[in-house]
């Protein structure tokens, strides 16, 4: 079922896609996987244009935490949009959605704004931090992703951030520093050198984009303490972790509160919506209009209804419990299967998001430097072997588990995985 072997409608559509859309896709992240032409999806299953069925662990890069087209959410969103979708005004549902989001996040989350993508919410956070501190420098970390915009997208290295893509203006990164994450000493050192210029520190509080690496004990607390002492705005980019690790995301799981946080993906059950949330004083100038934040589609009714419907599903905590059980079972079953067939395959992370890699050794991966030792090319080939057996995973190693995955799906997945592992081993021998 890989893109090389599919014949028929899928092949014709791939050709049309490549002609009509640059590279056949609308986001470069989608170039990282085989070009699958999706027809429909429901729960944890996705069907391509030839009717091939996949058990999905990509979840649209994360948003479909409740599974595809969760029926109660779809009903509520469809009903809501009959009232009109976008107004040059504040909609009742927008207020309700904001109140619910703030309520579940806790006391530190005093006010917020909605947007359509996390990329733009990160931009709002950077601007607000600079405006409120009167400083310009942003400290970020290797391996973390905060959108593709010129002033934050940077290649590995540092401390001076440098463009990761041709066409990026180098000057846009002049005030951005990059250091290693999960290294309290490196952080202290950067703050000691640059504190007077530092407006904000931005991080994924658990590095899900690179290896699903959890913060070392005490690390987030140390960062929080120093930011507090030096008047630096601490921004948690919870685009992936938010509403997925727990209702209150990584801040709740690790018990450390940011000044500002970015949410998206799991917050709105697959509908496009993002948010910036935080302390009221940081929003003061946005509230008066002195600091600009805008967006035609911000807070639209579809997004607000999706947030409300998603929170209706998540509020009881039952989803987290279920994903925890199913994800743990999946990780254990994959481990057992790998022990037999691919003993050097390493799995690490959490039941709702974990990472698989080759070549990272037996010890837990705790740093980006360690993760970079992985054999990415070999894992990519394994991801294609899995795809060929109807298991849709990201080539870069992440597996997402949704509320729609069941124990039966885990059993079926592992049957398919065993076939894929054997085929992968055979191909390696030939
Ligand atoms: N921040 C993080 C941590 C992300 O993982 C992503 C996207 O995957 C973004 C920001 C950008 O989000 P969006 O694609 O909604 O602009």
């Amino acid at each position: 079922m890989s893109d090389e072997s599919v014949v028929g409608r899928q092949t014709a559509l791939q050709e049309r896609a490549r002609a009509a859309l640059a590279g056949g896709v609308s986001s470069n992240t989608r170039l990282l996987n085989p070009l699958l032409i999706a027809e429909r999806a429901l729960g944890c299953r996705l069907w391509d244009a030839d009717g091939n069925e996949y058990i999905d662990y990509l979840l649209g890069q994360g948003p479909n935490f409740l599974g595809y087209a969760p029926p109660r959410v779809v009903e509520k969103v469809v009903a809501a949009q009959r009232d009109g979708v976008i107004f040059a005004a504040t909609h009742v549902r927008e207020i309700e959605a904001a109140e619910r989001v703030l309520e579940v996040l806790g006391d530190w989350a005093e006010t917020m704004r909605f947007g359509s993508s996390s990329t733009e919410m990160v931009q709002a956070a950077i601007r607000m931090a600079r405006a409120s501190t009167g400083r310009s420098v942003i400290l970020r970390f290797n391996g973390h992703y905060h959108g593709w915009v010129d002033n934050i997208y940077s290649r590995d290295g540092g401390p001076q951030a440098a463009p990761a893509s041709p066409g990026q203006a180098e000057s846009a990164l002049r005030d951005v520093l990059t250091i290693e994450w999960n290294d309290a000493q490196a952080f202290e050192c950067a703050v000691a050198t640059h504190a007077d210029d530092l407006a904000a520190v931005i991080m994924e509080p658990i590095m899900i984009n690179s290896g699903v690496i959890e913060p070392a004990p005490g690390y987030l607390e140390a960062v929080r303490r120093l930011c507090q002492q030096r008047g630096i705005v601490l921004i948690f980019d919870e685009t992936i972790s938010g509403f997925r690790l727990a209702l209150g995301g990584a801040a709740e799981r690790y018990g450390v509160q940011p000044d500002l946080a970015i949410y998206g993906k799991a917050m709105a059950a697959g509908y496009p919506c993002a948010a910036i949330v935080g302390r009221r004083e940081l929003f003061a100038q946005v509230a008066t209009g002195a600091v600009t934040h805008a967006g035609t589609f911000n807070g639209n009714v579809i997004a607000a209804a999706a947030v409300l419907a998603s929170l209706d599903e998540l509020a009881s905590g039952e989803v987290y419990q279920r994903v925890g059980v199913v994800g743990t079972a999946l990780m254990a079953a994959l481990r057992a299967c790998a022990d037999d067939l691919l003993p050097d395959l390493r799995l690490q992370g959490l039941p709702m998001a974990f990472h698989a890699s080759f070549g990272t050794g037996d010890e837990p991966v705790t740093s980006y430097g360690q993760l970079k030792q992985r054999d990415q090319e070999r894992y990519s080939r394994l991801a294609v072997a899995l795809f060929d057996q109807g298991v849709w995973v990201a080539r870069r190693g992440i597996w997402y588990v949704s509320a729609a995955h069941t124990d039966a799906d885990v059993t079926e997945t592992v049957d398919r995985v065993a076939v894929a592992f054997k085929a992968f081993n055979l191909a390696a021998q030939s």
Side-chain angles (χ1 to χ4, degrees), residues 119-254:
T119 293
E120 45 167 315
M121 294 291 90
V122 166
Q123 295 303 307
I126 290 172
R127 182 173 291 173
M128 285 161 58
R130 284 179 170 150
S132 66
T133 60
R135 304 172 185 162
S136 58
V137 178
I138 306 295
L139 183 64
R140 54 153 301 155
F141 300 89
N142 282 319
H144 295 222
Y145 177 65
H146 305 295
W148 57 279
V149 172
D150 276 16
N151 67 354
I152 197 70
Y153 187 53
S154 65
R155 65 169 176 258
D156 294 347
Q160 177 58 56
S165 165
Q168 253 184 286
E170 203 157 348
S171 57
L173 287 164
R174 198 187 53 210
D175 286 333
V176 181
L177 298 173
T178 305
I179 62 168
E180 292 304 307
W181 183 75
N182 232 2
D183 179 341
Q185 237 182 334
F187 183 73
E188 275 167 35
C189 189
V191 170
T193 315
H194 302 284
D196 293 345
D197 301 319
L198 276 177
V201 172
I202 183 166
M203 67 161 73
E204 295 178 48
I206 164 172
M207 189 162 64
I208 297 186
N209 266 306
S210 297
V212 190
I213 298 175
E214 289 198 84
Y219 179 71
L220 294 181
E221 289 83 347
V223 170
R224 173 67 281 180
R225 209 166 33 245
L226 263 187
C227 286
Q228 192 78 34
Q229 282 167 8
R230 308 302 291 257
I232 302 162
V233 177
L234 177 57
I235 306 167
F236 279 178
D237 186 344
E238 295 234 36
T239 298
I240 301 183
S241 53
F243 299 88
R244 185 186 315 272
L245 268 54
L247 259 182
E252 178 183 322
R253 181 178 177 99
Y254 301 112

Side-chain angles (χ1 to χ4, degrees), residues 31-317:
L31 290 174
L32 302 176
N33 290 299
L35 179 55
L36 181 148
I37 309 295
E39 182 88 68
R40 68 191 177 90
L42 187 66
C44 69
R45 310 251 166 175
L46 181 148
W47 289 266
D48 72 13
D50 278 342
N52 297 311
E53 177 244 74
Y54 301 85
I55 305 178
D56 186 305
Y57 293 98
L58 244 167
L59 302 184
Q61 304 290 356
N64 296 298
F65 181 53
L66 297 175
Y68 287 93
R72 285 189 295 268
V73 174
V74 172
E75 285 306 312
K76 288 174 186 171
V77 172
V78 169
Q81 69 189 10
R82 293 202 180 97
D83 296 337
V85 169
I86 191 74
F87 305 87
T90 300
H91 192 274
V92 181
R93 280 194 185 82
E94 192 181 343
I95 304 170
E96 289 169 2
E99 286 172 347
R100 291 277 297 281
V101 166
L102 297 176
E103 187 191 317
V104 301
L105 293 178
D107 288 350
W108 66 272
E110 293 172 334
T111 192
M112 63 176 289
R113 280 272 174 100
F114 283 116
S116 297
S117 73
S118 290
T119 293
E120 45 167 315
M121 294 291 90
V122 166
Q123 295 303 307
I126 290 172
R127 182 173 291 173
M128 285 161 58
R130 284 179 170 150
S132 66
T133 60
R135 304 172 185 162
S136 58
V137 178
I138 306 295
L139 183 64
R140 54 153 301 155
F141 300 89
N142 282 319
H144 295 222
Y145 177 65
H146 305 295
W148 57 279
V149 172
D150 276 16
N151 67 354
I152 197 70
Y153 187 53
S154 65
R155 65 169 176 258
D156 294 347
Q160 177 58 56
S165 165
Q168 253 184 286
E170 203 157 348
S171 57
L173 287 164
R174 198 187 53 210
D175 286 333
V176 181
L177 298 173
T178 305
I179 62 168
E180 292 304 307
W181 183 75
N182 232 2
D183 179 341
Q185 237 182 334
F187 183 73
E188 275 167 35
C189 189
V191 170
T193 315
H194 302 284
D196 293 345
D197 301 319
L198 276 177
V201 172
I202 183 166
M203 67 161 73
E204 295 178 48
I206 164 172
M207 189 162 64
I208 297 186
N209 266 306
S210 297
V212 190
I213 298 175
E214 289 198 84
Y219 179 71
L220 294 181
E221 289 83 347
V223 170
R224 173 67 281 180
R225 209 166 33 245
L226 263 187
C227 286
Q228 192 78 34
Q229 282 167 8
R230 308 302 291 257
I232 302 162
V233 177
L234 177 57
I235 306 167
F236 279 178
D237 186 344
E238 295 234 36
T239 298
I240 301 183
S241 53
F243 299 88
R244 185 186 315 272
L245 268 54
L247 259 182
E252 178 183 322
R253 181 178 177 99
Y254 301 112
V256 176
Q257 302 178 337
D259 299 307
L260 291 173
I262 314 297
Y263 297 94
K265 305 215 188 227
M267 179 176 69
Y271 289 86
C273 185
I276 176 167
V277 177
R279 292 198 289 113
R280 191 174 300 279
E281 71 176 273
L282 294 170
F283 284 82
Q285 296 182 79
V286 170
T288 61
V291 167
T292 300
H293 165 248
T296 303
F297 296 109
N298 294 357
N300 69 77
V301 166
I302 291 175
V307 169
L308 285 166
S310 169
L311 286 174
D312 286 346
E313 302 296 313
L314 297 174
S316 75

Side-chain angles (χ1 to χ4, degrees), residues 231-414:
I232 302 162
V233 177
L234 177 57
I235 306 167
F236 279 178
D237 186 344
E238 295 234 36
T239 298
I240 301 183
S241 53
F243 299 88
R244 185 186 315 272
L245 268 54
L247 259 182
E252 178 183 322
R253 181 178 177 99
Y254 301 112
V256 176
Q257 302 178 337
D259 299 307
L260 291 173
I262 314 297
Y263 297 94
K265 305 215 188 227
M267 179 176 69
Y271 289 86
C273 185
I276 176 167
V277 177
R279 292 198 289 113
R280 191 174 300 279
E281 71 176 273
L282 294 170
F283 284 82
Q285 296 182 79
V286 170
T288 61
V291 167
T292 300
H293 165 248
T296 303
F297 296 109
N298 294 357
N300 69 77
V301 166
I302 291 175
V307 169
L308 285 166
S310 169
L311 286 174
D312 286 346
E313 302 296 313
L314 297 174
S316 75
E318 196 242 324
V319 162
Y320 297 105
Q321 204 254 340
R322 197 148 28 94
V323 173
V325 170
V326 171
T328 302
L330 175 65
M331 286 179 82
L334 288 175
R335 253 188 206 121
C337 188
D339 283 348
D340 282 348
L341 296 165
L342 283 173
D344 59 337
L345 183 72
R346 150 163 283 288
L347 297 182
Q348 83 166 41
L350 304 174
M352 56 292 280
F354 59 88
H355 189 263
S357 60
F358 288 119
T360 44
D362 294 332
E363 296 303 312
V365 177
T366 58
S367 71
Y368 185 56
Q370 226 180 321
L371 180 74
K372 284 205 299 187
Q373 306 302 313
R374 73 190 185 279
D375 187 341
Q376 183 54 50
E377 193 274 328
R378 187 167 171 230
Y379 187 80
S380 290
R381 280 190 281 115
L382 181 66
V384 174
L386 289 164
F387 181 72
D388 288 344
Q389 295 306 322
V391 179
W392 177 229
V393 293
R395 279 185 178 172
R396 63 198 181 111
I398 190 160
W399 289 58
Y400 288 115
V401 176
S402 78
H405 289 92
T406 63
D407 289 338
D409 294 317
V410 168
T411 306
E412 195 176 341
T413 300
V414 176

